[in-house]
Amino acid sequence: MSIITFYSYKGGVGRSLALANIASLLASRGKKVLVVDWDLEAPGIEEYFQDFRVDASGKGLLFMLYDRSYSNEQTWKLSSLDGRTSLDLLPSGRDEENYYPLLETFNQNQFFETGGGDFLESVRERWLQDYDFVLIDSRTGLSDAGGICTILLPDIIVALFTATEQSVRGVRDVIRLALGSRQRLEYERSRFPVIPVPSRMSRHNEAEYRIWMSTFADNIADLTDDWRPKGVSVKDVLEGLALHHQTDLSHGARVISEASDLGSSQIGQGYNRVATLLLSNFKDTSFLVRNKSDRTRVQPSSANTPSYDVYISVPAGSIEARWVENFFLDTFRKEFLAKTGRDAKIYFDRKELSISSPFNEQIDEALENSKFLLYFLTSRSTRSTNSDQELHRFLEAKDTSSVHVVRLGRGIVPHPLLENQISDLSDFLVTGSASSYEKTPFISALNQKIRDVAVIAVKTSQK
C-alpha cells in the first residue's frame, strides 16, 4: 500500500506517459491501482488510456477539493479491451463546463486554513485502505499543488528528468526541499524513498551519454541512499532505470505496457523495471546488475586500486561549491574523457558536514582511495575544519605532487604545497549558470584553464 508521486521539474519529460504505463503494468499483475490527475493547470492523463473502456462517473479532483468529500463512486473505472486489466482514475474534472472558472477561484491557502489539510489526510488514509498503489501525476516546477504532491501525500517519489542541467538540478532541489519540509508537517511522516528516472535518453552518442550519466550521479547521489543495495553505484541505478527515447511514441501517446512488443521495446522495459521495484517494495533490484557488459560498474576498492581518479575538496554549501558544479565539472569531465577514453571517477560531496561531528567515514575512505586531490582554495578554506582535514588525510598516504590547488579566493596556500601547484581561476568566480556565458570570451578562456587542470589530473592519475 503506497502513494507514489510522479514528479518532474520541467514538462516534456514523459512523466504522465510513464505513470500511465506503470499504472497499467501494476494493474495487470493483479494490484488495485488508482491514478490521480493532480496537474490541475495542464490536466489530461485520461488521454493515455484511449485503448481502455471507460466508465466515467463523478466530476473529478477539483470538485472533490471544493466539496470536501470523497468516495469510490467519484472515480472512473478503466479496463483494457481484453478485460484482463482494470484500474481506477480520479481525473482533474476538466471536462466539466465550469472547470476553468472554478480553477481560477480556487484558493489553496484558504483551503488549508479551513481544514483542507485534515481532509486530505483522511483521503490519504482512505486511499491506503482501498488500493495497493495510488499513482499521482504532479504539477511541474515549484507550486502549491506540487507541494501537496511532493510533501503531504507521497510514500515514494518517482522523479523524472532529461539531459539538461535545469531539469536534473530542479528535481534535486525540489526533492531536498520536500524532504526538509516534510519534517515540519503536523502529520506523522517518514522519509520517502526516491526513484530517479533519466528520461528520453539516447545512446546514439555514447560519450555524451556517459557524461550525462555522470552528471546525473553527481547531482542526485544522496537520493537513493534509502534503498540502493550495497555495492551498487548511483550510476548503476540510473542506467538501470533510464527510459530511452522511442521514435514511434513521438507523435501521440498510448499505454504500451499491454502491447505484445513490450519485451522488445526499450522504453517498455524501462517502465517494467520501475514497476518491478515498486511491486517488490525495493527488494528486487536484480535488473541493476544485469547486462553489465555495457555498463561501467563501481568495483569494490582495494589498497592497490583507488576508487576515484579525483577527489574535489571545496567548502560545502559555499558559493564556490556551486560554481564548481555549474562551471567547472562538465568541461573537466569532457577533457578527461577526451584524453583517456573513459569517464573520470570523481568524488564530490555536496552535503554540509557538521564541524562538531566525527569526520565522515565515507569521506575518509574516498580520500584513501583517490589518486588526485583537487583543492579549491577559497576565503573559507583556511577556516574550514573539513577542508583542512581532507588535505591532511590525503597527504598521509599520498605525495604532494598528487595535489593541485585551484585558487578561487584569497585563502593562504596550505603548507607544504608550492606555488607551481596552483591554477588561479579567481577572475572567473561568478554567479548564475554557465549557459548565460555560453558564447562569450569569458567561457572560452575559463574552459581552456579548466582543460589545463584536467590534463594535470590525467597525468597524475595515470602514474
Side-chain angles (χ1 to χ4, degrees):
M1 298 179 293
S2 298
I3 296 177
I4 304 154
T5 289
F6 280 64
Y7 175 81
S8 63
Y9 184 73
K10 301 289 288 183
V13 306
R15 181 194 70 248
S16 299
L17 180 60
L19 184 154
N21 277 278
I22 291 166
S24 182
L25 273 169
L26 294 172
S28 70
R29 300 181 191 182
K31 300 301 178 182
K32 295 182 67 176
V33 177
L34 171 66
V35 171
V36 182
D37 190 351
W38 216 295
D39 191 354
L40 296 176
E41 287 80 4
I45 199 167
E46 63 270 16
E47 298 295 333
Y48 297 101
F49 295 97
Q50 292 181 18
D51 294 334
F52 281 62
R53 295 187 181 94
V54 179
D55 177 13
S57 59
K59 290 187 175 182
L61 176 65
L62 181 61
F63 298 88
M64 183 193 88
L65 297 177
Y66 259 100
D67 296 341
R68 308 281 180 92
S69 65
Y70 170 76
S71 69
N72 283 341
E73 286 70 34
Q74 292 172 316
T75 61
W76 295 7
K77 307 299 180 183
L78 309 181
S79 59
S80 59
L81 297 180
D82 60 13
R84 290 186 298 178
T85 300
S86 62
L87 52 84
D88 290 352
L89 167 66
L90 180 59
S92 63
R94 68 168 181 166
D95 291 336
E96 297 296 320
E97 184 177 353
N98 58 336
Y99 177 81
Y100 287 102
L102 201 62
L103 180 62
E104 288 183 6
T105 61
F106 183 67
N107 186 315
Q108 185 158 288
N109 289 334
Q110 185 179 25
F111 173 79
F112 278 101
E113 289 170 0
T114 55
D118 290 338
F119 169 67
L120 290 178
E121 186 69 5
S122 68
V123 170
R124 184 180 187 277
E125 291 175 0
R126 177 73 178 273
W127 284 346
L128 289 172
Q129 291 173 4
D130 292 346
Y131 295 97
D132 297 308
F133 295 99
V134 178
L135 276 58
I136 298 175
D137 195 27
S138 172
R139 182 73 175 144
T140 57
L142 282 168
S143 65
D144 292 336
I148 292 176
C149 299
T150 59
I151 300 171
L152 181 62
L153 293 177
D155 300 302
I156 299 167
I157 287 186
V158 177
L160 289 91
F161 44 87
T162 55
T164 68
E165 292 184 358
Q166 188 181 33
S167 182
V168 67
R169 290 177 184 171
V171 160
R172 174 200 66 192
D173 293 344
V174 168
I175 288 180
R176 288 178 178 171
L177 176 65
L179 286 168
S181 300
R182 195 171 167 93
Q183 297 175 3
R184 299 187 290 273
L185 284 177
E186 297 179 20
Y187 312 101
E188 185 176 349
R189 294 287 190 275
S190 59
R191 176 185 170 96
F192 52 69
V194 179
I195 302 177
V197 180
S199 184
R200 301 196 183 281
M201 299 301 294
S202 171
R203 302 195 81 144
H204 180 71
N205 185 329
E206 183 68 18
E208 192 73 14
Y209 175 86
R210 288 161 61 188
I211 288 171
W212 273 110
M213 282 297 174
S214 296
T215 299
F216 294 155
D218 286 341
N219 277 277
I220 57 93
D222 58 321
L223 298 184
T224 61
D225 290 346
D226 297 305
W227 63 270
R228 176 163 44 90
K230 187 175 181 181
V232 172
S233 70
V234 178
K235 204 170 175 184
D236 285 331
V237 171
L238 293 166
E239 295 193 2
L241 292 169
L243 301 177
H244 292 266
H245 182 64
Q246 188 165 321
T247 55
D248 61 353
L249 290 181
S250 298
H251 304 286
R254 63 190 178 96
V255 169
I256 64 169
S257 57
E258 290 294 301
S260 60
D261 61 349
L262 174 62
S264 60
S265 162
Q266 278 194 319
I267 196 168
Q269 292 173 23
Y271 296 146
N272 191 54
R273 287 191 286 267
V274 177
T276 298
L277 200 57
L278 294 172
L279 283 164
S280 71
N281 194 25
F282 297 92
K283 292 182 174 61
D284 185 356
T285 57
S286 56
F287 63 89
L288 295 176
V289 293
R290 294 176 190 154
N291 303 320
K292 291 186 289 184
S293 59
D294 65 345
R295 301 217 304 266
T296 303
R297 302 192 67 247
V298 176
Q299 301 296 327
S301 61
S302 67
N304 298 320
T305 309
S307 298
Y308 302 99
D309 298 300
V310 179
Y311 184 106
I312 290 181
S313 176
V314 60
S318 63
I319 293 173
E320 292 85 357
R322 290 194 293 275
W323 182 90
V324 170
E325 187 173 3
N326 291 338
F327 287 88
F328 186 88
L329 273 180
D330 187 51
T331 300
F332 183 90
R333 285 187 179 281
K334 288 178 179 176
E335 185 66 15
F336 194 101
L337 178 62
K339 290 289 188 287
T340 64
R342 64 178 181 83
D343 293 335
K345 296 179 182 178
I346 297 176
Y347 189 92
F348 179 22
D349 189 0
R350 292 165 177 75
K351 297 187 291 293
E352 185 71 67
L353 300 176
S354 171
I355 291 177
S356 62
S357 66
F359 198 62
N360 188 289
E361 291 183 5
Q362 183 184 9
I363 290 179
D364 225 3
E365 183 178 350
L367 284 165
E368 182 180 348
N369 294 310
S370 294
K371 297 178 180 178
F372 186 78
L373 178 69
L374 203 52
Y375 184 92
F376 285 84
L377 185 64
T378 74
S379 56
R380 285 183 54 187
S381 296
T382 52
R383 302 195 306 270
S384 170
T385 301
N386 289 326
S387 293
D388 183 64
Q389 287 187 359
E390 285 172 344
L391 176 62
H392 285 88
R393 291 291 179 91
F394 185 80
L395 289 177
E396 285 176 2
K398 307 290 192 307
D399 187 84
T400 55
S401 63
S402 298
V403 180
H404 191 76
V405 177
V406 176
R407 183 186 287 279
L408 292 178
R410 298 181 179 179
I412 300 172
V413 177
H415 179 77
L417 303 181
L418 305 174
E419 287 295 331
N420 63 1
Q421 293 176 259
I422 299 174
S423 297
D424 192 346
L425 273 62
S426 302
D427 292 341
F428 298 95
L429 183 62
V430 294
T431 57
S433 64
S435 60
S436 60
Y437 297 89
E438 187 175 359
K439 294 184 179 180
T440 66
F442 168 93
I443 205 72
S444 176
L446 171 61
N447 285 342
Q448 183 55 55
K449 285 185 174 290
I450 295 173
R451 286 192 287 268
D452 292 341
V453 174
V455 170
I456 296 171
V458 167
K459 289 179 179 177
T460 303
S461 64
Q462 290 180 336
K463 288 181 180 178

PDB file of all heavy atoms in Angstrom, residues 26 65 80 89 109 111 114 124 129 134 141 156 163 225 252 255 266 292 306-307 380 411 417 440 445 447 451 456:
ATOM      1  N   LEU A  26       1.147  -2.390 -13.169  1.00  0.00           N
ATOM      2  CA  LEU A  26       0.820  -2.809 -11.800  1.00  0.00           C
ATOM      3  C   LEU A  26      -0.561  -3.453 -11.760  1.00  0.00           C
ATOM      4  O   LEU A  26      -0.764  -4.485 -11.095  1.00  0.00           O
ATOM      5  CB  LEU A  26       0.869  -1.603 -10.860  1.00  0.00           C
ATOM      6  CG  LEU A  26       2.241  -0.952 -10.655  1.00  0.00           C
ATOM      7  CD1 LEU A  26       2.113   0.350  -9.871  1.00  0.00           C
ATOM      8  CD2 LEU A  26       3.201  -1.900  -9.934  1.00  0.00           C
ATOM      9  N   LEU A  65     -12.080  18.692  -4.137  1.00  0.00           N
ATOM     10  CA  LEU A  65     -11.434  19.625  -3.219  1.00  0.00           C
ATOM     11  C   LEU A  65     -12.402  20.717  -2.790  1.00  0.00           C
ATOM     12  O   LEU A  65     -12.361  21.178  -1.630  1.00  0.00           O
ATOM     13  CB  LEU A  65     -10.199  20.242  -3.879  1.00  0.00           C
ATOM     14  CG  LEU A  65      -9.073  19.268  -4.247  1.00  0.00           C
ATOM     15  CD1 LEU A  65      -7.947  20.002  -4.968  1.00  0.00           C
ATOM     16  CD2 LEU A  65      -8.536  18.548  -3.018  1.00  0.00           C
ATOM     17  N   SER A  80      -8.933  -2.670 -19.806  1.00  0.00           N
ATOM     18  CA  SER A  80      -8.352  -2.937 -21.120  1.00  0.00           C
ATOM     19  C   SER A  80      -9.369  -3.670 -21.991  1.00  0.00           C
ATOM     20  O   SER A  80     -10.312  -4.280 -21.491  1.00  0.00           O
ATOM     21  CB  SER A  80      -7.077  -3.776 -20.973  1.00  0.00           C
ATOM     22  OG  SER A  80      -7.356  -5.002 -20.328  1.00  0.00           O
ATOM     23  N   LEU A  89      -9.463   5.742 -11.994  1.00  0.00           N
ATOM     24  CA  LEU A  89      -8.867   7.037 -12.333  1.00  0.00           C
ATOM     25  C   LEU A  89      -9.680   8.144 -11.672  1.00  0.00           C
ATOM     26  O   LEU A  89     -10.910   8.190 -11.808  1.00  0.00           O
ATOM     27  CB  LEU A  89      -8.858   7.236 -13.848  1.00  0.00           C
ATOM     28  CG  LEU A  89      -8.558   8.658 -14.356  1.00  0.00           C
ATOM     29  CD1 LEU A  89      -7.134   9.070 -14.022  1.00  0.00           C
ATOM     30  CD2 LEU A  89      -8.805   8.756 -15.865  1.00  0.00           C
ATOM     31  N   ASN A 109      -4.482  28.497  -0.064  1.00  0.00           N
ATOM     32  CA  ASN A 109      -4.234  28.957   1.311  1.00  0.00           C
ATOM     33  C   ASN A 109      -5.521  28.902   2.126  1.00  0.00           C
ATOM     34  O   ASN A 109      -5.529  28.440   3.276  1.00  0.00           O
ATOM     35  CB  ASN A 109      -3.670  30.370   1.301  1.00  0.00           C
ATOM     36  CG  ASN A 109      -2.252  30.416   0.780  1.00  0.00           C
ATOM     37  OD1 ASN A 109      -1.511  29.431   0.863  1.00  0.00           O
ATOM     38  ND2 ASN A 109      -1.845  31.544   0.223  1.00  0.00           N
ATOM     39  N   PHE A 111      -8.052  27.051   1.471  1.00  0.00           N
ATOM     40  CA  PHE A 111      -8.395  25.636   1.601  1.00  0.00           C
ATOM     41  C   PHE A 111      -7.758  25.033   2.852  1.00  0.00           C
ATOM     42  O   PHE A 111      -8.427  24.344   3.641  1.00  0.00           O
ATOM     43  CB  PHE A 111      -7.933  24.896   0.345  1.00  0.00           C
ATOM     44  CG  PHE A 111      -8.063  23.400   0.402  1.00  0.00           C
ATOM     45  CD1 PHE A 111      -9.285  22.792   0.200  1.00  0.00           C
ATOM     46  CD2 PHE A 111      -6.952  22.599   0.649  1.00  0.00           C
ATOM     47  CE1 PHE A 111      -9.406  21.403   0.229  1.00  0.00           C
ATOM     48  CE2 PHE A 111      -7.060  21.217   0.696  1.00  0.00           C
ATOM     49  CZ  PHE A 111      -8.297  20.620   0.480  1.00  0.00           C
ATOM     50  N   THR A 114      -9.009  26.401   6.319  1.00  0.00           N
ATOM     51  CA  THR A 114     -10.349  25.958   6.711  1.00  0.00           C
ATOM     52  C   THR A 114     -10.447  24.435   6.778  1.00  0.00           C
ATOM     53  O   THR A 114     -11.492  23.857   6.468  1.00  0.00           O
ATOM     54  CB  THR A 114     -11.401  26.510   5.725  1.00  0.00           C
ATOM     55  OG1 THR A 114     -11.045  26.112   4.385  1.00  0.00           O
ATOM     56  CG2 THR A 114     -11.466  28.021   5.801  1.00  0.00           C
ATOM     57  N   ARG A 124      -6.094  10.501   2.144  1.00  0.00           N
ATOM     58  CA  ARG A 124      -4.883   9.684   2.056  1.00  0.00           C
ATOM     59  C   ARG A 124      -5.073   8.352   2.780  1.00  0.00           C
ATOM     60  O   ARG A 124      -4.707   7.286   2.256  1.00  0.00           O
ATOM     61  CB  ARG A 124      -3.697  10.454   2.644  1.00  0.00           C
ATOM     62  CG  ARG A 124      -2.356   9.751   2.530  1.00  0.00           C
ATOM     63  CD  ARG A 124      -1.239  10.594   3.149  1.00  0.00           C
ATOM     64  NE  ARG A 124       0.049  10.006   2.900  1.00  0.00           N
ATOM     65  CZ  ARG A 124       0.585   9.023   3.632  1.00  0.00           C
ATOM     66  NH1 ARG A 124      -0.085   8.520   4.663  1.00  0.00           N
ATOM     67  NH2 ARG A 124       1.775   8.532   3.320  1.00  0.00           N
ATOM     68  N   GLN A 129      -6.180   2.367   2.420  1.00  0.00           N
ATOM     69  CA  GLN A 129      -7.023   1.217   2.772  1.00  0.00           C
ATOM     70  C   GLN A 129      -7.586   0.527   1.527  1.00  0.00           C
ATOM     71  O   GLN A 129      -7.693  -0.704   1.482  1.00  0.00           O
ATOM     72  CB  GLN A 129      -8.182   1.672   3.661  1.00  0.00           C
ATOM     73  CG  GLN A 129      -7.768   2.127   5.051  1.00  0.00           C
ATOM     74  CD  GLN A 129      -8.939   2.712   5.822  1.00  0.00           C
ATOM     75  OE1 GLN A 129     -10.078   2.715   5.361  1.00  0.00           O
ATOM     76  NE2 GLN A 129      -8.656   3.233   7.010  1.00  0.00           N
ATOM     77  N   VAL A 134      -1.446   3.989  -5.300  1.00  0.00           N
ATOM     78  CA  VAL A 134      -2.061   5.226  -5.782  1.00  0.00           C
ATOM     79  C   VAL A 134      -0.966   6.019  -6.477  1.00  0.00           C
ATOM     80  O   VAL A 134       0.044   6.372  -5.853  1.00  0.00           O
ATOM     81  CB  VAL A 134      -2.672   6.056  -4.645  1.00  0.00           C
ATOM     82  CG1 VAL A 134      -3.264   7.358  -5.179  1.00  0.00           C
ATOM     83  CG2 VAL A 134      -3.731   5.253  -3.896  1.00  0.00           C
ATOM     84  N   GLY A 141       7.574  21.950 -11.618  1.00  0.00           N
ATOM     85  CA  GLY A 141       8.145  23.147 -11.013  1.00  0.00           C
ATOM     86  C   GLY A 141       7.842  23.275  -9.538  1.00  0.00           C
ATOM     87  O   GLY A 141       7.576  22.304  -8.829  1.00  0.00           O
ATOM     88  N   ILE A 156       6.391   7.496  -1.688  1.00  0.00           N
ATOM     89  CA  ILE A 156       7.506   7.310  -2.630  1.00  0.00           C
ATOM     90  C   ILE A 156       7.399   8.404  -3.680  1.00  0.00           C
ATOM     91  O   ILE A 156       6.295   8.825  -4.036  1.00  0.00           O
ATOM     92  CB  ILE A 156       7.417   5.920  -3.323  1.00  0.00           C
ATOM     93  CG1 ILE A 156       7.495   4.784  -2.294  1.00  0.00           C
ATOM     94  CG2 ILE A 156       8.521   5.757  -4.374  1.00  0.00           C
ATOM     95  CD1 ILE A 156       7.099   3.419  -2.867  1.00  0.00           C
ATOM     96  N   ALA A 163      18.218  15.145 -20.051  1.00  0.00           N
ATOM     97  CA  ALA A 163      19.631  15.530 -20.090  1.00  0.00           C
ATOM     98  C   ALA A 163      19.789  17.039 -20.279  1.00  0.00           C
ATOM     99  O   ALA A 163      20.340  17.517 -21.268  1.00  0.00           O
ATOM    100  CB  ALA A 163      20.345  14.762 -21.198  1.00  0.00           C
ATOM    101  N   ASP A 225      20.068   6.668  -1.279  1.00  0.00           N
ATOM    102  CA  ASP A 225      20.719   6.004  -0.144  1.00  0.00           C
ATOM    103  C   ASP A 225      19.764   5.119   0.653  1.00  0.00           C
ATOM    104  O   ASP A 225      20.190   4.162   1.297  1.00  0.00           O
ATOM    105  CB  ASP A 225      21.341   7.046   0.797  1.00  0.00           C
ATOM    106  CG  ASP A 225      22.555   7.724   0.185  1.00  0.00           C
ATOM    107  OD1 ASP A 225      23.060   7.214  -0.831  1.00  0.00           O
ATOM    108  OD2 ASP A 225      22.991   8.766   0.715  1.00  0.00           O
ATOM    109  N   GLY A 252       1.714  11.536 -30.703  1.00  0.00           N
ATOM    110  CA  GLY A 252       0.672  10.886 -29.931  1.00  0.00           C
ATOM    111  C   GLY A 252       1.279  10.046 -28.826  1.00  0.00           C
ATOM    112  O   GLY A 252       2.492   9.868 -28.744  1.00  0.00           O
ATOM    113  N   VAL A 255      -0.734   3.898 -23.846  1.00  0.00           N
ATOM    114  CA  VAL A 255      -0.217   2.900 -22.927  1.00  0.00           C
ATOM    115  C   VAL A 255       0.279   1.709 -23.735  1.00  0.00           C
ATOM    116  O   VAL A 255      -0.468   1.126 -24.516  1.00  0.00           O
ATOM    117  CB  VAL A 255      -1.315   2.465 -21.933  1.00  0.00           C
ATOM    118  CG1 VAL A 255      -0.862   1.252 -21.152  1.00  0.00           C
ATOM    119  CG2 VAL A 255      -1.640   3.611 -20.987  1.00  0.00           C
ATOM    120  N   GLN A 266      12.557  -0.833 -25.697  1.00  0.00           N
ATOM    121  CA  GLN A 266      13.448  -0.343 -24.646  1.00  0.00           C
ATOM    122  C   GLN A 266      12.697   0.460 -23.603  1.00  0.00           C
ATOM    123  O   GLN A 266      12.914   0.299 -22.406  1.00  0.00           O
ATOM    124  CB  GLN A 266      14.554   0.522 -25.265  1.00  0.00           C
ATOM    125  CG  GLN A 266      15.714  -0.272 -25.830  1.00  0.00           C
ATOM    126  CD  GLN A 266      16.904   0.618 -26.099  1.00  0.00           C
ATOM    127  OE1 GLN A 266      16.782   1.733 -26.582  1.00  0.00           O
ATOM    128  NE2 GLN A 266      18.078   0.132 -25.783  1.00  0.00           N
ATOM    129  N   LYS A 292      25.896  -6.268 -17.497  1.00  0.00           N
ATOM    130  CA  LYS A 292      26.991  -5.431 -17.016  1.00  0.00           C
ATOM    131  C   LYS A 292      28.012  -5.120 -18.095  1.00  0.00           C
ATOM    132  O   LYS A 292      28.811  -4.202 -17.949  1.00  0.00           O
ATOM    133  CB  LYS A 292      27.685  -6.109 -15.827  1.00  0.00           C
ATOM    134  CG  LYS A 292      26.820  -6.171 -14.577  1.00  0.00           C
ATOM    135  CD  LYS A 292      27.595  -6.721 -13.400  1.00  0.00           C
ATOM    136  CE  LYS A 292      27.861  -8.189 -13.576  1.00  0.00           C
ATOM    137  NZ  LYS A 292      28.530  -8.788 -12.398  1.00  0.00           N
ATOM    138  N   PRO A 306      42.615   2.398  -6.441  1.00  0.00           N
ATOM    139  CA  PRO A 306      41.812   3.527  -5.971  1.00  0.00           C
ATOM    140  C   PRO A 306      40.456   3.576  -6.660  1.00  0.00           C
ATOM    141  O   PRO A 306      40.330   3.265  -7.842  1.00  0.00           O
ATOM    142  CB  PRO A 306      42.665   4.740  -6.356  1.00  0.00           C
ATOM    143  CG  PRO A 306      44.063   4.207  -6.466  1.00  0.00           C
ATOM    144  CD  PRO A 306      43.914   2.801  -6.971  1.00  0.00           C
ATOM    145  N   SER A 307      39.433   3.945  -5.913  1.00  0.00           N
ATOM    146  CA  SER A 307      38.086   4.002  -6.450  1.00  0.00           C
ATOM    147  C   SER A 307      37.838   5.259  -7.249  1.00  0.00           C
ATOM    148  O   SER A 307      36.929   5.297  -8.066  1.00  0.00           O
ATOM    149  CB  SER A 307      37.068   3.917  -5.305  1.00  0.00           C
ATOM    150  OG  SER A 307      37.179   2.703  -4.625  1.00  0.00           O
ATOM    151  N   ARG A 380      37.114  30.758   2.581  1.00  0.00           N
ATOM    152  CA  ARG A 380      36.639  29.915   3.678  1.00  0.00           C
ATOM    153  C   ARG A 380      37.551  28.732   3.953  1.00  0.00           C
ATOM    154  O   ARG A 380      37.459  28.105   5.003  1.00  0.00           O
ATOM    155  CB  ARG A 380      35.241  29.371   3.357  1.00  0.00           C
ATOM    156  CG  ARG A 380      34.121  30.370   3.479  1.00  0.00           C
ATOM    157  CD  ARG A 380      32.775  29.703   3.211  1.00  0.00           C
ATOM    158  NE  ARG A 380      32.555  28.540   4.055  1.00  0.00           N
ATOM    159  CZ  ARG A 380      31.512  27.717   3.923  1.00  0.00           C
ATOM    160  NH1 ARG A 380      30.636  27.929   2.966  1.00  0.00           N
ATOM    161  NH2 ARG A 380      31.368  26.693   4.725  1.00  0.00           N
ATOM    162  N   GLY A 411      42.419  32.856   0.145  1.00  0.00           N
ATOM    163  CA  GLY A 411      42.955  31.968   1.167  1.00  0.00           C
ATOM    164  C   GLY A 411      44.447  31.726   1.006  1.00  0.00           C
ATOM    165  O   GLY A 411      45.014  31.857  -0.076  1.00  0.00           O
ATOM    166  N   LEU A 417      52.315  22.795   0.142  1.00  0.00           N
ATOM    167  CA  LEU A 417      52.065  22.958  -1.285  1.00  0.00           C
ATOM    168  C   LEU A 417      52.824  24.160  -1.827  1.00  0.00           C
ATOM    169  O   LEU A 417      53.040  25.151  -1.140  1.00  0.00           O
ATOM    170  CB  LEU A 417      50.564  23.126  -1.527  1.00  0.00           C
ATOM    171  CG  LEU A 417      49.684  21.983  -1.005  1.00  0.00           C
ATOM    172  CD1 LEU A 417      48.225  22.253  -1.319  1.00  0.00           C
ATOM    173  CD2 LEU A 417      50.119  20.656  -1.605  1.00  0.00           C
ATOM    174  N   THR A 440      30.407  33.694 -24.873  1.00  0.00           N
ATOM    175  CA  THR A 440      31.210  34.874 -24.550  1.00  0.00           C
ATOM    176  C   THR A 440      32.684  34.492 -24.447  1.00  0.00           C
ATOM    177  O   THR A 440      33.025  33.326 -24.221  1.00  0.00           O
ATOM    178  CB  THR A 440      30.761  35.485 -23.210  1.00  0.00           C
ATOM    179  OG1 THR A 440      31.061  34.550 -22.155  1.00  0.00           O
ATOM    180  CG2 THR A 440      29.272  35.778 -23.217  1.00  0.00           C
ATOM    181  N   ALA A 445      37.803  31.375 -22.324  1.00  0.00           N
ATOM    182  CA  ALA A 445      39.037  31.456 -21.541  1.00  0.00           C
ATOM    183  C   ALA A 445      38.985  30.543 -20.318  1.00  0.00           C
ATOM    184  O   ALA A 445      39.970  29.871 -19.974  1.00  0.00           O
ATOM    185  CB  ALA A 445      39.278  32.905 -21.117  1.00  0.00           C
ATOM    186  N   ASN A 447      37.181  27.755 -19.945  1.00  0.00           N
ATOM    187  CA  ASN A 447      37.246  26.350 -20.339  1.00  0.00           C
ATOM    188  C   ASN A 447      38.668  25.909 -20.666  1.00  0.00           C
ATOM    189  O   ASN A 447      39.048  24.765 -20.399  1.00  0.00           O
ATOM    190  CB  ASN A 447      36.328  26.100 -21.538  1.00  0.00           C
ATOM    191  CG  ASN A 447      34.858  26.070 -21.133  1.00  0.00           C
ATOM    192  OD1 ASN A 447      34.538  25.910 -19.955  1.00  0.00           O
ATOM    193  ND2 ASN A 447      33.974  26.233 -22.090  1.00  0.00           N
ATOM    194  N   ARG A 451      40.585  22.884 -18.854  1.00  0.00           N
ATOM    195  CA  ARG A 451      41.214  21.783 -19.597  1.00  0.00           C
ATOM    196  C   ARG A 451      42.660  21.588 -19.172  1.00  0.00           C
ATOM    197  O   ARG A 451      43.143  20.450 -19.085  1.00  0.00           O
ATOM    198  CB  ARG A 451      41.116  22.051 -21.105  1.00  0.00           C
ATOM    199  CG  ARG A 451      39.698  21.848 -21.673  1.00  0.00           C
ATOM    200  CD  ARG A 451      39.688  21.834 -23.191  1.00  0.00           C
ATOM    201  NE  ARG A 451      39.894  23.172 -23.730  1.00  0.00           N
ATOM    202  CZ  ARG A 451      38.917  24.007 -24.042  1.00  0.00           C
ATOM    203  NH1 ARG A 451      37.662  23.649 -23.852  1.00  0.00           N
ATOM    204  NH2 ARG A 451      39.171  25.200 -24.542  1.00  0.00           N
ATOM    205  N   ILE A 456      46.562  17.981 -16.049  1.00  0.00           N
ATOM    206  CA  ILE A 456      47.386  17.707 -14.859  1.00  0.00           C
ATOM    207  C   ILE A 456      46.827  16.509 -14.097  1.00  0.00           C
ATOM    208  O   ILE A 456      47.565  15.624 -13.671  1.00  0.00           O
ATOM    209  CB  ILE A 456      47.459  18.940 -13.952  1.00  0.00           C
ATOM    210  CG1 ILE A 456      48.178  20.095 -14.674  1.00  0.00           C
ATOM    211  CG2 ILE A 456      48.160  18.612 -12.637  1.00  0.00           C
ATOM    212  CD1 ILE A 456      48.106  21.420 -13.946  1.00  0.00           C
TER     213      ILE A 456
END
